[in-house]
Amino acid sequence: MSIVVMKFGGTSVEDTAAIGRTAAIVAGRAASGKSPVVVVSAMAKVTDQLLRAASAASDGDRTGSLAISARLRTRHLDTAAELVKDAGEIATLTQFLNEEFDALDEVLRGLAVIHELTPRISDLIVSYGERLSSRIVAAAFRGQGIAAAHADAREIVITDAEFQKATPIDALIEKRAQEKLLPLIKAGKIPVMGGFIASSEDGLTTTLGRGGSDYTGALVGGALNAGTIEIWTDVDGIMTADPRVCPDALRVKVISFEEAAEMAYFGAKVLHPATILPAVRKNIPVLVLNSRNAACDGTRIISVAPHCKSPFKSIAVKRKLSIIDIVASRMLMSHGYMSKMFAVFDRRKCPVDMVSTSEVSVSLTVDTNASLPEIAADLSAMADVKYEGKKALICLVGEDIRGQNGIAAQVFNAIRHINVRMISQGASEINMSFMIDEDDADEAVRSLHAAFFQNPDPAIFDVEARKAASSS
Ligand code: ADP
Ligand code: ASP
Ligand code: MG
């Protein structure tokens, strides 16, 4: 039995046509003798809209919040009605969707009275996206003759109770996946479950963080010892840069786990940063594929990628960052100073991306977040502190930078017209990153892309697609 976990993102289940394409892709895998397990995101933009409804309610805008929910109800009911024609099936599904929206509206009304949006309530509200989409997709699949069986992700993906960014408990997930999914697979069924949503051991709804459905796919793949994990999205695979920023970006045919993890961490939205971990542990190949162009081979992420003639595989951008400059002329190098400084970030649960030090100062970059003023206030007890938002980190990733001379000079020559604030090259030697103003980010990516992907290695990059595009 060769299990393939197939994760479909929001755009792959956004409407009737997209769900129809997804059904055909899954049916194709099943017909080829594989046993698919399907993980779906919320329909496109639904998570954002649920978060907007939650924030409107907690601001006391009960009417606005319920109006968002009403629009979502119509969208889900309409999609279900278009996809599911069996009278019994659509009656059950309609009743389910209405009950879920009634329950959601109750929560929103309560929130509009209480005016306090806790992480726990936020997760509860946002979980409706995947709860609803997974039911619709399962019913739609059955309508297409696929033996789909819905599975509640919250009974399988068990996490700690760190709402909004919960940490999975691998041993429990393995046990639950074996108990709940394997019997379905063995009975010839195709389990369909929501990504992103999970529950704590006490049964409270948690989530794995934005973009977390990829992570669910990998966790389930790891737990079931799947042969492959497929991440189906709206681009042809991992590209040499975000194609929205750089239209001539090329598909990367093959990339290593390490490189893909680095890219995801440094902002390439195409993969959730933690996705690769469960796959690495069990050495399961991950494929990134396009549900709008299923014939394309996508990107294969494997433990050891072949040698590449170009130094870099891809350019990632992490936006909405802030830079914090800490200047402490006397104490900086004294024993224990750094640990006190990092303790401030730790207390506020604020991860630090990049650090650079001089004799008298330390500069750090963090995600722009609401607790920055408090962090700066805490740090000001130890030093002079300044912080500035609207920064972006550009990260060039590639295993083949190792041992190549003169790469840094080429990078900074390509962006010599842009002001660079901080530079770092990690010990892993597979990334080179630097910080600039967010407004310069797109220009920097395009300049670097033009400099480093002029003569791409055809063994690694889809050069044929570029040739085809330029001759048409
Ligand atoms: P999904 O909803 O399927 O999870 P996402 O929106 O999370 O999809 O991720 C896909 C998007 O990631 C693409 O539409 C693309 O704009 C963006 N992206 C950013 N960097 C890259 C990259 N290097 N390669 C491919 N896509 C990228
Ligand atoms: N629906 C969630 C989000 O938009 C999870 C995902 O799509 O991966 O963040
Ligand atoms: Mg995503």
Side-chain angles (χ1 to χ4, degrees):
M1 185 171 59
S2 171
I3 295 176
V4 50
V5 173
M6 308 177 75
K7 177 265 168 175
F8 291 89
T11 45
S12 304
V13 294
E14 67 186 343
D15 55 21
T16 306
I19 297 174
R21 283 193 296 270
T22 294
I25 292 167
V26 172
R29 281 289 177 278
S32 73
K34 298 244 170 78
S35 300
V37 173
V38 176
V39 173
V40 293
S41 289
M43 295 169 76
K45 307 218 163 60
V46 168
T47 305
D48 288 339
Q49 283 156 8
L50 287 166
L51 285 171
R52 225 169 293 132
S55 104
S58 69
D59 290 344
D61 180 8
R62 183 173 175 272
T63 317
S65 154
L66 291 172
I68 297 173
S69 169
R71 282 197 293 278
L72 286 174
R73 188 191 290 244
T74 308
R75 176 172 170 199
H76 284 83
L77 286 171
D78 287 353
T79 309
E82 280 165 19
L83 283 162
V84 182
K85 297 297 172 201
D86 177 83
E89 181 95 78
I90 189 63
T92 314
L93 182 59
T94 304
Q95 189 184 344
F96 170 81
L97 295 174
N98 277 320
E99 282 169 5
E100 292 284 273
F101 275 106
D102 291 346
L104 171 63
D105 289 350
E106 278 303 298
V107 178
L108 294 174
R109 281 191 201 97
L111 192 54
V113 176
I114 299 168
H115 287 250
E116 193 198 351
L117 181 57
T118 60
R120 175 175 161 182
I121 297 294
S122 177
D123 271 0
L124 176 65
I125 292 174
V126 93
S127 73
Y128 280 90
E130 274 74 6
R131 282 152 72 165
L132 303 164
S133 65
S134 57
R135 292 276 179 168
I136 295 176
V137 169
F141 279 11
R142 286 192 289 272
Q144 300 289 315
I146 299 170
H150 182 264
D152 192 334
R154 292 168 302 163
E155 292 175 5
I156 298 163
V157 184
I158 308 298
T159 64
D160 66 7
E162 185 73 49
F163 297 101
Q164 294 182 317
K165 213 180 175 50
T167 303
I169 305 172
D170 293 335
L172 288 179
I173 297 172
E174 197 150 323
K175 185 164 171 286
R176 298 288 185 97
Q178 308 274 343
E179 277 168 15
K180 308 246 172 217
L181 298 175
L182 261 194
L184 292 173
I185 301 167
K186 285 190 176 143
K189 301 264 195 233
I190 296 181
V192 176
M193 58 189 275
F196 177 57
I197 58 174
S199 76
S200 67
E201 283 184 84
D202 298 340
L204 298 171
T205 298
T206 57
T207 66
L208 300 174
R210 291 306 306 268
S213 294
D214 298 338
Y215 196 10
T216 306
L219 288 166
V220 171
L224 293 172
N225 289 311
T228 328
I229 296 164
E230 297 180 348
I231 307 288
W232 289 86
T233 183
D234 59 354
V235 281
D236 276 347
I238 294 185
M239 314 288 283
T240 47
D242 185 342
R244 284 182 216 187
V245 174
C246 193
D248 58 348
L250 294 158
R251 174 170 63 94
V252 185
K253 294 194 230 175
V254 58
I255 195 165
S256 73
F257 281 130
E258 228 190 314
E259 289 169 324
E262 204 86 355
M263 279 183 63
Y265 182 71
F266 284 98
K269 194 186 164 209
V270 65
L271 270 191
H272 179 278
T275 306
I276 305 296
L277 275 178
V280 174
R281 268 189 219 126
K282 301 231 167 142
N283 201 13
I284 304 171
V286 177
L287 287 168
V288 180
L289 297 155
N290 188 351
S291 68
R292 292 178 180 157
N293 182 18
C296 178
D297 291 338
T299 299
R300 199 172 170 76
I301 309 174
I302 53 176
S303 53
V304 184
H307 175 73
C308 175
K309 284 190 208 132
S310 331
F312 300 118
K313 298 262 169 53
S314 190
I315 308 167
V317 187
K318 198 166 184 184
R319 294 169 207 266
K320 296 195 186 128
L321 297 179
S322 292
I323 187 165
I324 305 179
D325 293 319
I326 302 165
V327 181
S329 44
R330 275 181 304 132
M331 281 137 76
L332 190 62
M333 287 308 155
S334 65
H335 170 76
Y337 188 82
M338 284 289 195
S339 104
K340 277 192 207 120
M341 197 182 73
F342 280 109
V344 170
F345 291 90
D346 191 33
R347 262 200 310 280
R348 302 278 175 190
K349 293 196 172 147
C350 175
V352 173
D353 279 315
M354 199 162 127
V355 185
S356 105
T357 62
S358 76
E359 282 292 304
V360 293
S361 69
V362 185
S363 298
L364 307 112
T365 68
V366 298
D367 280 347
T368 300
N369 65 67
S371 51
L372 267 182
E374 281 104 327
I375 292 174
D378 291 355
L379 289 168
S380 64
M382 298 183 242
D384 293 332
V385 183
K386 271 191 314 201
Y387 66 95
E388 214 183 303
K390 288 204 79 195
K391 298 281 169 275
L393 194 63
I394 308 284
C395 177
L396 295 119
V397 177
E399 278 176 3
D400 298 273
I401 5 180
R402 281 189 188 120
Q404 292 210 26
N405 293 329
I407 295 289
Q410 287 174 44
V411 167
F412 294 109
N413 187 41
I415 49 147
R416 59 190 178 282
H417 51 305
I418 290 168
N419 182 24
V420 176
R421 288 288 300 268
M422 261 171 94
I423 302 171
S424 132
Q425 181 170 359
S428 66
E429 284 187 31
I430 68 162
N431 90 60
M432 210 182 263
S433 38
F434 56 88
M435 164 119 341
I436 55 176
D437 282 338
E438 202 173 306
D439 291 342
D440 293 331
D442 290 358
E443 168 60 23
V445 171
R446 288 192 281 261
S447 301
L448 289 165
H449 199 271
F452 286 100
F453 294 98
Q454 226 164 35
N455 278 315
D457 184 340
I460 307 293
F461 304 101
D462 185 4
V463 181
E464 295 306 313
R466 179 182 278 179
K467 279 192 205 142
S470 63
S471 65
S472 65

